[in-house]
Amino acid sequence: MSGKVREAINDQMKSVSYCHSLFYATSAAEHLAKLLIDSTGGEMARAFFISSGSEAIEAALKLARQYHLEKKPSEPRRTQFIARQQSYHGTTLGALAVGGHVARRALFEPLLSENNSRVSPCYSYRGMQNANESEDSYVRRLEAELDAEFQRLGPANVAAFVAEPVVGAALGCVLPVKGYFEAVRRVCDRYGALLILDEIMCGSGRIGPVPTARYPKPLHAWQDPLVGVVPDIMTVAKGLGGGYMPIAAMLANHRVMDALQHGSGSFGHGQTYQGHPLACRAALEVQRIIQEHNLVHNVRRQGALLGKLLRAKLGSHPAVGDIRGRGLFWGIEFVRDKVTKEPFEPGEVVASGIHELGMQEPHNISLYPGNGSVAGRSEDHILIAPAYTVTGHEVQFIVDTTAQVIEEFFHRYGDRYRTRSGGRVMSSGR
């Protein structure tokens, strides 16, 4: 399959390698845009191509602001953005400002816009008050918190709410509970704010969205019934081009684009390499391969196996607090105490240590490390996100290797990681 992508890139170079998209259009960008718009069932109206996820978020924030300026009647006071605590939306100043990853914001805090605020994430493992709280009650509590934040800022001052449908690096593959995004949509609609969904990590088929009558061949996380709402603006990146070329995209729905078309007629933003022909052609071929080989179905099938095997192999490990995910997007959260969910201290760098051990012989596996989910700085988790083409045999190998790394890490460094009862967090006996 990679050969087809290389051939597509080479073919594009024979035609045109670069042209400034302010003056010229290319078939690569136009065809990719059509494919993506079609993949939304026509919900989105236009696509804007840039080179990274952070740039896509910057574009989304700017477009939301411009929408409120150009719609009739204009609302120039809408300058506030609401996101969620323990979130991550990119490294540029605008993306950092809207995100809530404390450690990544720290160095640049004095430079960040203050037109951003955050509410609690939908993080049932730690967010639900107790075992007796129902998911419906949890959703109502989060909805009330978001509504209160609108009231605190002034509903007419809020431009948009920003969130990942399935949280990636900041929380480690945290799924929303059923009904959460419907509640978010209600609040946004009540006060005239836009909903921006960040699918940079979880999109382009990564979670293996479940088909429905409305979306028989879903590609985007918001098309999964667990999310169940249509965004006003969305961003995609990592799975869009599969890493063959730097590319990301922002898509906007008809309401947003109609306001611009009846206003200035253009988006007041630009990047040197927006709509780059080689990047667009690579992404176009990647998306065609995903469709032609029905790879999202493979993501669902192998993802179900991956989750089942991870839970069977590691669910009872004394240092594993939660195993969660969907499709080929799974996270494992580590704790000092399974009952209280007490995390390890930041200085113990559990996730990074597991990642470093996994990269060594004989394991040779990359287990994406993350932390900062509890109080912004502590908590350790790893992400497991195999290729869409992974086989059942390879999934078994990935799970066995992951379990070996985790077992070896806590066995080797057992004296450093003690439970509150005084016992060592070591092998669970498998």
Side-chain angles (χ1 to χ4, degrees):
M1 295 182 185
S2 61
K4 289 186 176 181
V5 181
R6 287 195 298 270
E7 289 175 8
I9 295 172
N10 288 333
D11 182 64
Q12 182 62 45
M13 292 181 72
K14 295 175 184 177
S15 173
V16 59
S17 294
Y18 173 76
C19 62
H20 200 300
S21 61
L22 178 63
F23 309 112
Y24 303 98
T26 66
S27 59
E30 293 295 324
H31 291 158
L32 178 60
K34 183 179 186 307
L35 183 149
L36 289 180
I37 296 303
D38 289 347
S39 74
T40 70
E43 298 287 0
M44 298 294 115
R46 292 287 187 274
F48 179 74
F49 299 114
I50 49 279
S51 300
S52 71
S54 297
E55 293 172 47
I57 292 294
E58 293 284 331
L61 300 177
K62 286 186 173 183
L63 181 59
R65 167 62 176 166
Q66 187 174 344
Y67 162 77
H68 289 295
L69 288 175
E70 298 207 14
K71 71 178 186 178
K72 309 298 183 196
S74 174
E75 295 188 89
R77 289 169 51 196
R78 289 191 182 268
T79 60
Q80 299 285 332
F81 290 88
I82 303 174
R84 301 188 294 185
Q85 298 159 6
Q86 298 140 292
S87 59
Y88 177 60
H89 297 291
T91 59
T92 52
L93 291 179
L96 270 181
V98 76
H101 197 290
V102 174
R104 297 191 183 192
R105 288 171 55 100
L107 288 175
F108 311 101
E109 198 75 44
L111 305 178
L112 302 181
S113 166
E114 296 180 356
N115 286 7
N116 301 279
S117 64
R118 280 157 290 281
V119 294
S120 299
C122 186
Y123 183 15
S124 60
Y125 175 66
R126 294 190 177 277
M128 294 181 73
Q129 291 178 333
N130 52 59
N132 296 321
E133 183 176 30
S134 68
E135 288 189 350
D136 286 344
S137 175
Y138 182 43
V139 167
R140 288 195 298 272
R141 185 155 55 84
L142 292 174
E143 182 176 7
E145 180 185 352
L146 180 58
D147 192 285
E149 183 63 11
F150 268 85
Q151 295 298 328
R152 186 186 73 83
L153 296 170
N157 296 326
V158 179
F161 178 78
V162 186
E164 290 178 274
V166 180
V167 185
L171 287 180
C173 302
V174 169
L175 299 167
V177 299
K178 183 66 176 174
Y180 168 74
F181 276 103
E182 293 172 346
V184 166
R185 179 84 262 183
R186 281 196 299 271
V187 177
C188 289
D189 290 347
R190 185 180 306 145
Y191 299 119
L194 297 181
L195 174 59
I196 299 173
L197 291 185
D198 173 355
E199 297 204 5
I200 290 165
M201 288 193 78
C202 66
S204 302
R206 170 55 66 184
I207 70 162
V210 176
T212 62
R214 186 176 183 183
Y215 304 115
K217 293 183 178 181
L219 181 69
H220 310 290
W222 58 263
Q223 293 173 319
D224 190 280
L226 190 61
V227 180
V229 300
V230 180
D232 297 296
I233 301 172
M234 62 175 291
T235 59
V236 293
K238 300 182 188 301
L240 177 60
Y244 289 95
M245 291 289 288
I247 187 167
M250 176 197 69
L251 280 70
N253 70 5
H254 293 274
R255 172 166 64 140
V256 173
M257 295 313 304
D258 286 347
L260 267 64
Q261 288 173 349
H262 291 96
S264 66
S266 64
F267 178 31
H269 176 61
Q271 307 269 165
T272 299
Y273 291 121
Q274 67 187 46
H276 195 283
L278 298 185
C280 289
R281 184 64 183 274
L284 178 62
E285 191 62 32
V286 167
Q287 294 306 310
R288 284 174 172 169
I289 290 171
I290 288 174
Q291 289 184 355
E292 291 169 4
H293 293 267
N294 201 13
L295 292 185
V296 176
H297 173 74
N298 192 60
V299 170
R300 282 194 297 272
R301 185 161 59 93
Q302 301 303 343
L305 176 62
L306 177 59
K308 177 182 177 181
L309 294 179
L310 283 173
R311 288 176 171 137
K313 199 82 171 180
L314 289 164
S316 62
H317 191 285
V320 172
D322 193 28
I323 299 171
R324 64 236 179 184
R326 177 73 71 89
L328 294 176
F329 199 47
W330 285 82
I332 301 174
E333 182 172 336
F334 301 99
V335 294
R336 185 181 294 281
D337 190 309
K338 289 175 78 78
V339 176
T340 66
K341 304 178 184 178
E342 178 187 357
F344 290 100
E345 294 298 323
E348 292 175 303
V349 291
V350 171
S352 296
I354 289 172
H355 168 73
E356 290 174 7
L357 179 60
M359 295 290 283
Q360 299 173 20
E361 295 280 358
H363 308 300
N364 300 316
I365 189 171
S366 178
L367 301 170
Y368 189 104
N371 53 50
S373 300
V374 181
R377 292 189 181 276
S378 56
E379 188 272 340
D380 291 89
H381 61 258
I382 57 173
L383 272 62
I384 301 169
Y388 292 14
T389 55
V390 71
T391 66
H393 176 75
E394 290 167 338
V395 167
Q396 182 71 65
F397 175 80
I398 289 168
V399 173
D400 289 344
T401 306
T402 300
Q404 290 167 9
V405 172
I406 292 171
E407 295 279 3
E408 181 179 334
F409 177 82
F410 286 107
H411 183 80
R412 181 183 296 186
Y413 303 110
D415 287 334
R416 290 178 55 192
Y417 305 106
R418 293 179 179 275
T419 64
R420 287 306 176 200
S421 62
R424 294 181 181 178
V425 179
M426 294 178 63
S427 170
S428 58
R430 289 178 298 279

